[in-house]
Amino acid sequence: MGKNIQLDSHGRLRHFLSIEGLNRTLLTEILDTAENFVSVGNRAAKKVPLLRGKTIANLFFEPSTRTRTTFDLAEKRLSADVLNININTSATTKGETLLDTLQNLTAMQIDLFVVRHSASGAAHFIAQHVPDSVSVINAGDGRHAHPTQAMLDMFTIRKHKEDFTRLRFAIVGDVLHSRVARSQIHALNMLGCPEVRVIGPHTLSPSHVEDLGVHFTTNMEAGLDGVDVIIMLRLQNERMSGALLPSKGEYFHYYGLTEQRLKRAAADAIVMHPGPMNRGVEIESAVADSGHSVILQQVTNGIAVRMAVLSMAMQQSNPEGA
Ligand code: CP
């Protein structure tokens, strides 16, 4: 990437494109700022005027439920004017390039773009082509990065476990195609986690996965032994080119998180999933709906974390200050 375009000359967040290139101080600032925004969601009037007068465009070139709606809510709770561009009815369907679409939207004086795209690097590309006054937040690009998802996961973990430096993690499933797992691993390493285990079949694990600073095992039972946090991943069929598994049933047999397997983890282990979740494929319903599951808390926390990132990128992060 060369120059770190995510930070301004004072080291503050300008774009949020990936966890790589940031540092522990900045990640902690995002988590602390999000903490301040949680109370906004608990008010009768769920709104602060922090981004009043700012215009934000949500550009989702790929389907999304959680990320799109929580960004939308976060922006509205910050009082920004929000444009949800429907790509299916936009001029991109007539052959307009991403750059031309971007330049036309920039001409409408957008202050910040939230971008999801199937191509790895799309958010970086956009960030390199916007004027200096405009920020870009990556809402998931190909199999590369999903940094706000990683931060809402870190926020949720901190709520339950506090000290990252004492925790053991298991990330289970299709790490090969997962932008979420990559961002989580970078964030966990940056926050000082001593042990991150990746569990899955060889066909769904990146070659040299250990280079990311994790331990790899194909053995689900052994991998879950004593862990404090279990992060389950979906099989990302839309990014698979060819059959990497015999069947979903066989996958569940070896890697599905069942109540029985959960007993291998610490007694107070939490179970996470970024969604969308496929019950009976990577996780048993009894586990997904159990007291160990914090899956819906992840969704709720996504609003405060996205409010934090939006306000920091716009250099306005005090919820009481406007
Ligand atoms: N976790 C996540 O990115 O979900 P969506 O695809 O629904 O946004």
PDB file of all heavy atoms in Angstrom, residues 241-278:
ATOM      1  N   SER A 241     -14.418 -21.261  -5.484  1.00  0.00           N
ATOM      2  CA  SER A 241     -14.425 -21.651  -6.897  1.00  0.00           C
ATOM      3  C   SER A 241     -14.174 -23.148  -6.953  1.00  0.00           C
ATOM      4  O   SER A 241     -13.045 -23.593  -6.967  1.00  0.00           O
ATOM      5  CB  SER A 241     -13.351 -20.882  -7.671  1.00  0.00           C
ATOM      6  OG  SER A 241     -12.114 -21.029  -7.018  1.00  0.00           O
ATOM      7  N   GLY A 242     -15.210 -23.930  -6.919  1.00  0.00           N
ATOM      8  CA  GLY A 242     -15.063 -25.380  -6.946  1.00  0.00           C
ATOM      9  C   GLY A 242     -15.448 -25.982  -5.618  1.00  0.00           C
ATOM     10  O   GLY A 242     -15.626 -25.290  -4.624  1.00  0.00           O
ATOM     11  N   ALA A 243     -15.573 -27.312  -5.598  1.00  0.00           N
ATOM     12  CA  ALA A 243     -16.007 -28.007  -4.389  1.00  0.00           C
ATOM     13  C   ALA A 243     -14.825 -28.203  -3.454  1.00  0.00           C
ATOM     14  O   ALA A 243     -13.870 -28.885  -3.787  1.00  0.00           O
ATOM     15  CB  ALA A 243     -16.614 -29.352  -4.774  1.00  0.00           C
ATOM     16  N   LEU A 244     -14.883 -27.573  -2.291  1.00  0.00           N
ATOM     17  CA  LEU A 244     -13.795 -27.688  -1.322  1.00  0.00           C
ATOM     18  C   LEU A 244     -14.163 -28.625  -0.173  1.00  0.00           C
ATOM     19  O   LEU A 244     -13.350 -28.898   0.679  1.00  0.00           O
ATOM     20  CB  LEU A 244     -13.430 -26.301  -0.770  1.00  0.00           C
ATOM     21  CG  LEU A 244     -12.921 -25.299  -1.814  1.00  0.00           C
ATOM     22  CD1 LEU A 244     -12.691 -23.931  -1.195  1.00  0.00           C
ATOM     23  CD2 LEU A 244     -11.624 -25.801  -2.449  1.00  0.00           C
ATOM     24  N   LEU A 245     -15.427 -29.087  -0.192  1.00  0.00           N
ATOM     25  CA  LEU A 245     -15.907 -29.959   0.879  1.00  0.00           C
ATOM     26  C   LEU A 245     -16.739 -31.081   0.279  1.00  0.00           C
ATOM     27  O   LEU A 245     -17.450 -30.851  -0.703  1.00  0.00           O
ATOM     28  CB  LEU A 245     -16.816 -29.178   1.826  1.00  0.00           C
ATOM     29  CG  LEU A 245     -16.182 -28.079   2.649  1.00  0.00           C
ATOM     30  CD1 LEU A 245     -17.272 -27.229   3.271  1.00  0.00           C
ATOM     31  CD2 LEU A 245     -15.286 -28.671   3.714  1.00  0.00           C
ATOM     32  N   PRO A 246     -16.698 -32.278   0.893  1.00  0.00           N
ATOM     33  CA  PRO A 246     -17.553 -33.367   0.388  1.00  0.00           C
ATOM     34  C   PRO A 246     -19.033 -33.006   0.485  1.00  0.00           C
ATOM     35  O   PRO A 246     -19.793 -33.201  -0.457  1.00  0.00           O
ATOM     36  CB  PRO A 246     -17.203 -34.545   1.302  1.00  0.00           C
ATOM     37  CG  PRO A 246     -15.893 -34.200   1.925  1.00  0.00           C
ATOM     38  CD  PRO A 246     -15.822 -32.705   1.982  1.00  0.00           C
ATOM     39  N   SER A 247     -19.477 -32.479   1.643  1.00  0.00           N
ATOM     40  CA  SER A 247     -20.888 -32.111   1.829  1.00  0.00           C
ATOM     41  C   SER A 247     -21.018 -31.256   3.086  1.00  0.00           C
ATOM     42  O   SER A 247     -20.140 -31.273   3.955  1.00  0.00           O
ATOM     43  CB  SER A 247     -21.760 -33.364   1.990  1.00  0.00           C
ATOM     44  OG  SER A 247     -21.503 -33.954   3.250  1.00  0.00           O
ATOM     45  N   LYS A 248     -22.145 -30.533   3.179  1.00  0.00           N
ATOM     46  CA  LYS A 248     -22.384 -29.731   4.378  1.00  0.00           C
ATOM     47  C   LYS A 248     -22.552 -30.632   5.602  1.00  0.00           C
ATOM     48  O   LYS A 248     -22.146 -30.291   6.705  1.00  0.00           O
ATOM     49  CB  LYS A 248     -23.631 -28.865   4.195  1.00  0.00           C
ATOM     50  CG  LYS A 248     -23.376 -27.692   3.257  1.00  0.00           C
ATOM     51  CD  LYS A 248     -24.618 -26.844   3.086  1.00  0.00           C
ATOM     52  CE  LYS A 248     -24.321 -25.687   2.153  1.00  0.00           C
ATOM     53  NZ  LYS A 248     -25.517 -24.954   1.755  1.00  0.00           N
ATOM     54  N   GLY A 249     -23.177 -31.803   5.381  1.00  0.00           N
ATOM     55  CA  GLY A 249     -23.389 -32.744   6.485  1.00  0.00           C
ATOM     56  C   GLY A 249     -22.058 -33.223   7.047  1.00  0.00           C
ATOM     57  O   GLY A 249     -21.874 -33.292   8.271  1.00  0.00           O
ATOM     58  N   GLU A 250     -21.124 -33.515   6.161  1.00  0.00           N
ATOM     59  CA  GLU A 250     -19.811 -33.977   6.633  1.00  0.00           C
ATOM     60  C   GLU A 250     -19.076 -32.830   7.336  1.00  0.00           C
ATOM     61  O   GLU A 250     -18.382 -33.035   8.327  1.00  0.00           O
ATOM     62  CB  GLU A 250     -18.987 -34.515   5.463  1.00  0.00           C
ATOM     63  CG  GLU A 250     -17.707 -35.139   5.959  1.00  0.00           C
ATOM     64  CD  GLU A 250     -17.087 -36.095   4.979  1.00  0.00           C
ATOM     65  OE1 GLU A 250     -17.829 -36.717   4.187  1.00  0.00           O
ATOM     66  OE2 GLU A 250     -15.850 -36.216   5.004  1.00  0.00           O
ATOM     67  N   TYR A 251     -19.256 -31.623   6.809  1.00  0.00           N
ATOM     68  CA  TYR A 251     -18.611 -30.465   7.452  1.00  0.00           C
ATOM     69  C   TYR A 251     -19.123 -30.321   8.893  1.00  0.00           C
ATOM     70  O   TYR A 251     -18.348 -30.142   9.830  1.00  0.00           O
ATOM     71  CB  TYR A 251     -18.885 -29.184   6.649  1.00  0.00           C
ATOM     72  CG  TYR A 251     -18.241 -27.975   7.271  1.00  0.00           C
ATOM     73  CD1 TYR A 251     -16.879 -27.735   7.122  1.00  0.00           C
ATOM     74  CD2 TYR A 251     -18.990 -27.097   8.058  1.00  0.00           C
ATOM     75  CE1 TYR A 251     -16.279 -26.649   7.737  1.00  0.00           C
ATOM     76  CE2 TYR A 251     -18.392 -26.010   8.669  1.00  0.00           C
ATOM     77  CZ  TYR A 251     -17.043 -25.784   8.502  1.00  0.00           C
ATOM     78  OH  TYR A 251     -16.447 -24.723   9.115  1.00  0.00           O
ATOM     79  N   PHE A 252     -20.444 -30.410   9.048  1.00  0.00           N
ATOM     80  CA  PHE A 252     -21.018 -30.282  10.402  1.00  0.00           C
ATOM     81  C   PHE A 252     -20.500 -31.396  11.308  1.00  0.00           C
ATOM     82  O   PHE A 252     -20.208 -31.176  12.489  1.00  0.00           O
ATOM     83  CB  PHE A 252     -22.547 -30.300  10.334  1.00  0.00           C
ATOM     84  CG  PHE A 252     -23.199 -30.104  11.675  1.00  0.00           C
ATOM     85  CD1 PHE A 252     -23.217 -28.847  12.275  1.00  0.00           C
ATOM     86  CD2 PHE A 252     -23.773 -31.164  12.357  1.00  0.00           C
ATOM     87  CE1 PHE A 252     -23.795 -28.660  13.526  1.00  0.00           C
ATOM     88  CE2 PHE A 252     -24.354 -30.987  13.607  1.00  0.00           C
ATOM     89  CZ  PHE A 252     -24.366 -29.721  14.193  1.00  0.00           C
ATOM     90  N   HIS A 253     -20.368 -32.599  10.737  1.00  0.00           N
ATOM     91  CA  HIS A 253     -19.887 -33.739  11.519  1.00  0.00           C
ATOM     92  C   HIS A 253     -18.519 -33.446  12.134  1.00  0.00           C
ATOM     93  O   HIS A 253     -18.253 -33.743  13.297  1.00  0.00           O
ATOM     94  CB  HIS A 253     -19.829 -34.979  10.618  1.00  0.00           C
ATOM     95  CG  HIS A 253     -19.282 -36.187  11.290  1.00  0.00           C
ATOM     96  ND1 HIS A 253     -19.971 -36.877  12.262  1.00  0.00           N
ATOM     97  CD2 HIS A 253     -18.071 -36.820  11.163  1.00  0.00           C
ATOM     98  CE1 HIS A 253     -19.239 -37.886  12.694  1.00  0.00           C
ATOM     99  NE2 HIS A 253     -18.069 -37.873  12.057  1.00  0.00           N
ATOM    100  N   TYR A 254     -17.633 -32.810  11.359  1.00  0.00           N
ATOM    101  CA  TYR A 254     -16.268 -32.576  11.845  1.00  0.00           C
ATOM    102  C   TYR A 254     -16.085 -31.210  12.515  1.00  0.00           C
ATOM    103  O   TYR A 254     -15.285 -31.070  13.427  1.00  0.00           O
ATOM    104  CB  TYR A 254     -15.262 -32.697  10.690  1.00  0.00           C
ATOM    105  CG  TYR A 254     -15.026 -34.130  10.283  1.00  0.00           C
ATOM    106  CD1 TYR A 254     -15.581 -34.637   9.116  1.00  0.00           C
ATOM    107  CD2 TYR A 254     -14.272 -34.978  11.092  1.00  0.00           C
ATOM    108  CE1 TYR A 254     -15.382 -35.958   8.736  1.00  0.00           C
ATOM    109  CE2 TYR A 254     -14.074 -36.303  10.733  1.00  0.00           C
ATOM    110  CZ  TYR A 254     -14.621 -36.788   9.558  1.00  0.00           C
ATOM    111  OH  TYR A 254     -14.427 -38.094   9.215  1.00  0.00           O
ATOM    112  N   TYR A 255     -16.825 -30.200  12.035  1.00  0.00           N
ATOM    113  CA  TYR A 255     -16.536 -28.828  12.485  1.00  0.00           C
ATOM    114  C   TYR A 255     -17.749 -28.066  13.022  1.00  0.00           C
ATOM    115  O   TYR A 255     -17.616 -26.904  13.413  1.00  0.00           O
ATOM    116  CB  TYR A 255     -15.876 -28.030  11.346  1.00  0.00           C
ATOM    117  CG  TYR A 255     -14.534 -28.608  10.988  1.00  0.00           C
ATOM    118  CD1 TYR A 255     -14.361 -29.327   9.809  1.00  0.00           C
ATOM    119  CD2 TYR A 255     -13.452 -28.467  11.853  1.00  0.00           C
ATOM    120  CE1 TYR A 255     -13.136 -29.893   9.500  1.00  0.00           C
ATOM    121  CE2 TYR A 255     -12.227 -29.032  11.552  1.00  0.00           C
ATOM    122  CZ  TYR A 255     -12.075 -29.747  10.377  1.00  0.00           C
ATOM    123  OH  TYR A 255     -10.856 -30.307  10.089  1.00  0.00           O
ATOM    124  N   GLY A 256     -18.914 -28.687  13.066  1.00  0.00           N
ATOM    125  CA  GLY A 256     -20.082 -28.006  13.615  1.00  0.00           C
ATOM    126  C   GLY A 256     -19.908 -27.821  15.125  1.00  0.00           C
ATOM    127  O   GLY A 256     -19.418 -28.717  15.819  1.00  0.00           O
ATOM    128  N   LEU A 257     -20.304 -26.653  15.627  1.00  0.00           N
ATOM    129  CA  LEU A 257     -20.211 -26.421  17.077  1.00  0.00           C
ATOM    130  C   LEU A 257     -21.482 -26.939  17.726  1.00  0.00           C
ATOM    131  O   LEU A 257     -22.568 -26.370  17.556  1.00  0.00           O
ATOM    132  CB  LEU A 257     -20.000 -24.931  17.379  1.00  0.00           C
ATOM    133  CG  LEU A 257     -19.762 -24.625  18.869  1.00  0.00           C
ATOM    134  CD1 LEU A 257     -18.509 -25.334  19.397  1.00  0.00           C
ATOM    135  CD2 LEU A 257     -19.657 -23.126  19.103  1.00  0.00           C
ATOM    136  N   THR A 258     -21.329 -28.034  18.463  1.00  0.00           N
ATOM    137  CA  THR A 258     -22.447 -28.669  19.156  1.00  0.00           C
ATOM    138  C   THR A 258     -22.301 -28.413  20.663  1.00  0.00           C
ATOM    139  O   THR A 258     -21.228 -28.009  21.129  1.00  0.00           O
ATOM    140  CB  THR A 258     -22.433 -30.194  18.921  1.00  0.00           C
ATOM    141  OG1 THR A 258     -21.173 -30.688  19.407  1.00  0.00           O
ATOM    142  CG2 THR A 258     -22.575 -30.524  17.448  1.00  0.00           C
ATOM    143  N   GLU A 259     -23.374 -28.690  21.401  1.00  0.00           N
ATOM    144  CA  GLU A 259     -23.296 -28.549  22.861  1.00  0.00           C
ATOM    145  C   GLU A 259     -22.194 -29.443  23.435  1.00  0.00           C
ATOM    146  O   GLU A 259     -21.478 -29.054  24.352  1.00  0.00           O
ATOM    147  CB  GLU A 259     -24.644 -28.929  23.481  1.00  0.00           C
ATOM    148  CG  GLU A 259     -25.714 -27.870  23.300  1.00  0.00           C
ATOM    149  CD  GLU A 259     -27.006 -28.251  24.001  1.00  0.00           C
ATOM    150  OE1 GLU A 259     -27.584 -29.307  23.642  1.00  0.00           O
ATOM    151  OE2 GLU A 259     -27.436 -27.505  24.886  1.00  0.00           O
ATOM    152  N   GLN A 260     -22.076 -30.632  22.861  1.00  0.00           N
ATOM    153  CA  GLN A 260     -21.056 -31.571  23.325  1.00  0.00           C
ATOM    154  C   GLN A 260     -19.656 -30.994  23.138  1.00  0.00           C
ATOM    155  O   GLN A 260     -18.822 -31.022  24.048  1.00  0.00           O
ATOM    156  CB  GLN A 260     -21.223 -32.894  22.529  1.00  0.00           C
ATOM    157  CG  GLN A 260     -20.514 -34.082  23.135  1.00  0.00           C
ATOM    158  CD  GLN A 260     -20.989 -34.375  24.565  1.00  0.00           C
ATOM    159  OE1 GLN A 260     -22.138 -34.151  24.931  1.00  0.00           O
ATOM    160  NE2 GLN A 260     -20.053 -34.827  25.402  1.00  0.00           N
ATOM    161  N   ARG A 261     -19.414 -30.435  21.968  1.00  0.00           N
ATOM    162  CA  ARG A 261     -18.067 -29.879  21.703  1.00  0.00           C
ATOM    163  C   ARG A 261     -17.800 -28.622  22.531  1.00  0.00           C
ATOM    164  O   ARG A 261     -16.670 -28.368  22.920  1.00  0.00           O
ATOM    165  CB  ARG A 261     -17.929 -29.557  20.212  1.00  0.00           C
ATOM    166  CG  ARG A 261     -17.749 -30.804  19.378  1.00  0.00           C
ATOM    167  CD  ARG A 261     -17.407 -30.463  17.945  1.00  0.00           C
ATOM    168  NE  ARG A 261     -17.023 -31.657  17.248  1.00  0.00           N
ATOM    169  CZ  ARG A 261     -17.476 -32.018  16.045  1.00  0.00           C
ATOM    170  NH1 ARG A 261     -18.338 -31.245  15.406  1.00  0.00           N
ATOM    171  NH2 ARG A 261     -17.061 -33.120  15.487  1.00  0.00           N
ATOM    172  N   LEU A 262     -18.844 -27.847  22.771  1.00  0.00           N
ATOM    173  CA  LEU A 262     -18.686 -26.619  23.552  1.00  0.00           C
ATOM    174  C   LEU A 262     -18.139 -26.917  24.951  1.00  0.00           C
ATOM    175  O   LEU A 262     -17.439 -26.097  25.542  1.00  0.00           O
ATOM    176  CB  LEU A 262     -20.042 -25.899  23.625  1.00  0.00           C
ATOM    177  CG  LEU A 262     -20.117 -24.574  24.368  1.00  0.00           C
ATOM    178  CD1 LEU A 262     -19.113 -23.567  23.810  1.00  0.00           C
ATOM    179  CD2 LEU A 262     -21.531 -24.001  24.272  1.00  0.00           C
ATOM    180  N   LYS A 263     -18.416 -28.142  25.444  1.00  0.00           N
ATOM    181  CA  LYS A 263     -17.920 -28.523  26.782  1.00  0.00           C
ATOM    182  C   LYS A 263     -16.390 -28.565  26.835  1.00  0.00           C
ATOM    183  O   LYS A 263     -15.806 -28.541  27.914  1.00  0.00           O
ATOM    184  CB  LYS A 263     -18.487 -29.892  27.179  1.00  0.00           C
ATOM    185  CG  LYS A 263     -19.977 -29.853  27.473  1.00  0.00           C
ATOM    186  CD  LYS A 263     -20.499 -31.227  27.853  1.00  0.00           C
ATOM    187  CE  LYS A 263     -22.017 -31.186  28.036  1.00  0.00           C
ATOM    188  NZ  LYS A 263     -22.623 -32.492  27.868  1.00  0.00           N
ATOM    189  N   ARG A 264     -15.730 -28.641  25.685  1.00  0.00           N
ATOM    190  CA  ARG A 264     -14.259 -28.654  25.674  1.00  0.00           C
ATOM    191  C   ARG A 264     -13.686 -27.276  26.021  1.00  0.00           C
ATOM    192  O   ARG A 264     -12.541 -27.152  26.450  1.00  0.00           O
ATOM    193  CB  ARG A 264     -13.736 -29.049  24.268  1.00  0.00           C
ATOM    194  CG  ARG A 264     -14.212 -30.393  23.774  1.00  0.00           C
ATOM    195  CD  ARG A 264     -13.648 -31.543  24.578  1.00  0.00           C
ATOM    196  NE  ARG A 264     -12.220 -31.709  24.428  1.00  0.00           N
ATOM    197  CZ  ARG A 264     -11.628 -32.718  23.798  1.00  0.00           C
ATOM    198  NH1 ARG A 264     -12.369 -33.667  23.239  1.00  0.00           N
ATOM    199  NH2 ARG A 264     -10.312 -32.813  23.743  1.00  0.00           N
ATOM    200  N   ALA A 265     -14.479 -26.225  25.775  1.00  0.00           N
ATOM    201  CA  ALA A 265     -14.005 -24.858  26.025  1.00  0.00           C
ATOM    202  C   ALA A 265     -14.109 -24.532  27.512  1.00  0.00           C
ATOM    203  O   ALA A 265     -14.635 -25.323  28.308  1.00  0.00           O
ATOM    204  CB  ALA A 265     -14.856 -23.887  25.212  1.00  0.00           C
ATOM    205  N   ALA A 266     -13.606 -23.354  27.906  1.00  0.00           N
ATOM    206  CA  ALA A 266     -13.745 -22.909  29.297  1.00  0.00           C
ATOM    207  C   ALA A 266     -15.223 -22.860  29.665  1.00  0.00           C
ATOM    208  O   ALA A 266     -16.083 -22.619  28.799  1.00  0.00           O
ATOM    209  CB  ALA A 266     -13.108 -21.532  29.454  1.00  0.00           C
ATOM    210  N   ALA A 267     -15.531 -23.055  30.937  1.00  0.00           N
ATOM    211  CA  ALA A 267     -16.934 -23.124  31.373  1.00  0.00           C
ATOM    212  C   ALA A 267     -17.685 -21.826  31.064  1.00  0.00           C
ATOM    213  O   ALA A 267     -18.896 -21.848  30.817  1.00  0.00           O
ATOM    214  CB  ALA A 267     -16.985 -23.420  32.867  1.00  0.00           C
ATOM    215  N   ASP A 268     -16.953 -20.700  31.079  1.00  0.00           N
ATOM    216  CA  ASP A 268     -17.605 -19.407  30.809  1.00  0.00           C
ATOM    217  C   ASP A 268     -17.273 -18.880  29.405  1.00  0.00           C
ATOM    218  O   ASP A 268     -17.314 -17.666  29.164  1.00  0.00           O
ATOM    219  CB  ASP A 268     -17.209 -18.376  31.868  1.00  0.00           C
ATOM    220  CG  ASP A 268     -15.703 -18.103  31.859  1.00  0.00           C
ATOM    221  OD1 ASP A 268     -14.963 -18.856  31.179  1.00  0.00           O
ATOM    222  OD2 ASP A 268     -15.261 -17.150  32.520  1.00  0.00           O
ATOM    223  N   ALA A 269     -16.982 -19.790  28.503  1.00  0.00           N
ATOM    224  CA  ALA A 269     -16.629 -19.368  27.133  1.00  0.00           C
ATOM    225  C   ALA A 269     -17.807 -18.671  26.458  1.00  0.00           C
ATOM    226  O   ALA A 269     -18.968 -19.028  26.698  1.00  0.00           O
ATOM    227  CB  ALA A 269     -16.213 -20.589  26.311  1.00  0.00           C
ATOM    228  N   ILE A 270     -17.486 -17.683  25.632  1.00  0.00           N
ATOM    229  CA  ILE A 270     -18.544 -17.063  24.825  1.00  0.00           C
ATOM    230  C   ILE A 270     -18.422 -17.558  23.387  1.00  0.00           C
ATOM    231  O   ILE A 270     -17.330 -17.894  22.901  1.00  0.00           O
ATOM    232  CB  ILE A 270     -18.505 -15.513  24.876  1.00  0.00           C
ATOM    233  CG1 ILE A 270     -17.156 -14.948  24.422  1.00  0.00           C
ATOM    234  CG2 ILE A 270     -18.868 -15.020  26.265  1.00  0.00           C
ATOM    235  CD1 ILE A 270     -17.158 -13.436  24.229  1.00  0.00           C
ATOM    236  N   VAL A 271     -19.585 -17.615  22.724  1.00  0.00           N
ATOM    237  CA  VAL A 271     -19.651 -18.068  21.332  1.00  0.00           C
ATOM    238  C   VAL A 271     -20.067 -16.887  20.466  1.00  0.00           C
ATOM    239  O   VAL A 271     -21.082 -16.230  20.747  1.00  0.00           O
ATOM    240  CB  VAL A 271     -20.658 -19.229  21.172  1.00  0.00           C
ATOM    241  CG1 VAL A 271     -20.816 -19.618  19.704  1.00  0.00           C
ATOM    242  CG2 VAL A 271     -20.229 -20.425  21.999  1.00  0.00           C
ATOM    243  N   MET A 272     -19.284 -16.644  19.411  1.00  0.00           N
ATOM    244  CA  MET A 272     -19.552 -15.501  18.533  1.00  0.00           C
ATOM    245  C   MET A 272     -19.740 -15.983  17.089  1.00  0.00           C
ATOM    246  O   MET A 272     -19.256 -17.048  16.702  1.00  0.00           O
ATOM    247  CB  MET A 272     -18.384 -14.505  18.581  1.00  0.00           C
ATOM    248  CG  MET A 272     -17.995 -14.123  19.996  1.00  0.00           C
ATOM    249  SD  MET A 272     -16.646 -12.934  20.069  1.00  0.00           S
ATOM    250  CE  MET A 272     -17.480 -11.449  19.551  1.00  0.00           C
ATOM    251  N   HIS A 273     -20.412 -15.165  16.314  1.00  0.00           N
ATOM    252  CA  HIS A 273     -20.593 -15.442  14.876  1.00  0.00           C
ATOM    253  C   HIS A 273     -20.901 -14.095  14.220  1.00  0.00           C
ATOM    254  O   HIS A 273     -21.801 -13.376  14.684  1.00  0.00           O
ATOM    255  CB  HIS A 273     -21.744 -16.419  14.670  1.00  0.00           C
ATOM    256  CG  HIS A 273     -21.788 -17.042  13.298  1.00  0.00           C
ATOM    257  ND1 HIS A 273     -21.766 -16.287  12.133  1.00  0.00           N
ATOM    258  CD2 HIS A 273     -21.846 -18.334  12.902  1.00  0.00           C
ATOM    259  CE1 HIS A 273     -21.811 -17.092  11.087  1.00  0.00           C
ATOM    260  NE2 HIS A 273     -21.842 -18.339  11.522  1.00  0.00           N
ATOM    261  N   PRO A 274     -20.187 -13.734  13.150  1.00  0.00           N
ATOM    262  CA  PRO A 274     -20.454 -12.430  12.535  1.00  0.00           C
ATOM    263  C   PRO A 274     -21.775 -12.386  11.765  1.00  0.00           C
ATOM    264  O   PRO A 274     -22.273 -11.295  11.467  1.00  0.00           O
ATOM    265  CB  PRO A 274     -19.265 -12.247  11.571  1.00  0.00           C
ATOM    266  CG  PRO A 274     -18.814 -13.652  11.258  1.00  0.00           C
ATOM    267  CD  PRO A 274     -19.081 -14.446  12.493  1.00  0.00           C
ATOM    268  N   GLY A 275     -22.329 -13.561  11.477  1.00  0.00           N
ATOM    269  CA  GLY A 275     -23.520 -13.620  10.644  1.00  0.00           C
ATOM    270  C   GLY A 275     -23.154 -13.369   9.177  1.00  0.00           C
ATOM    271  O   GLY A 275     -22.086 -12.823   8.911  1.00  0.00           O
ATOM    272  N   PRO A 276     -24.018 -13.762   8.259  1.00  0.00           N
ATOM    273  CA  PRO A 276     -25.208 -14.578   8.484  1.00  0.00           C
ATOM    274  C   PRO A 276     -24.822 -15.993   8.917  1.00  0.00           C
ATOM    275  O   PRO A 276     -23.819 -16.525   8.466  1.00  0.00           O
ATOM    276  CB  PRO A 276     -25.905 -14.572   7.118  1.00  0.00           C
ATOM    277  CG  PRO A 276     -24.856 -14.203   6.114  1.00  0.00           C
ATOM    278  CD  PRO A 276     -23.836 -13.405   6.826  1.00  0.00           C
ATOM    279  N   MET A 277     -25.672 -16.568   9.772  1.00  0.00           N
ATOM    280  CA  MET A 277     -25.369 -17.859  10.396  1.00  0.00           C
ATOM    281  C   MET A 277     -26.151 -18.962   9.674  1.00  0.00           C
ATOM    282  O   MET A 277     -27.313 -18.767   9.340  1.00  0.00           O
ATOM    283  CB  MET A 277     -25.838 -17.730  11.855  1.00  0.00           C
ATOM    284  CG  MET A 277     -25.656 -18.909  12.722  1.00  0.00           C
ATOM    285  SD  MET A 277     -25.885 -18.398  14.447  1.00  0.00           S
ATOM    286  CE  MET A 277     -27.592 -17.850  14.495  1.00  0.00           C
ATOM    287  N   ASN A 278     -25.506 -20.075   9.453  1.00  0.00           N
ATOM    288  CA  ASN A 278     -26.200 -21.217   8.866  1.00  0.00           C
ATOM    289  C   ASN A 278     -26.327 -22.305   9.927  1.00  0.00           C
ATOM    290  O   ASN A 278     -25.384 -23.067  10.185  1.00  0.00           O
ATOM    291  CB  ASN A 278     -25.450 -21.734   7.627  1.00  0.00           C
ATOM    292  CG  ASN A 278     -25.582 -20.779   6.458  1.00  0.00           C
ATOM    293  OD1 ASN A 278     -26.670 -20.275   6.180  1.00  0.00           O
ATOM    294  ND2 ASN A 278     -24.492 -20.491   5.789  1.00  0.00           N
TER     295      ASN A 278
END
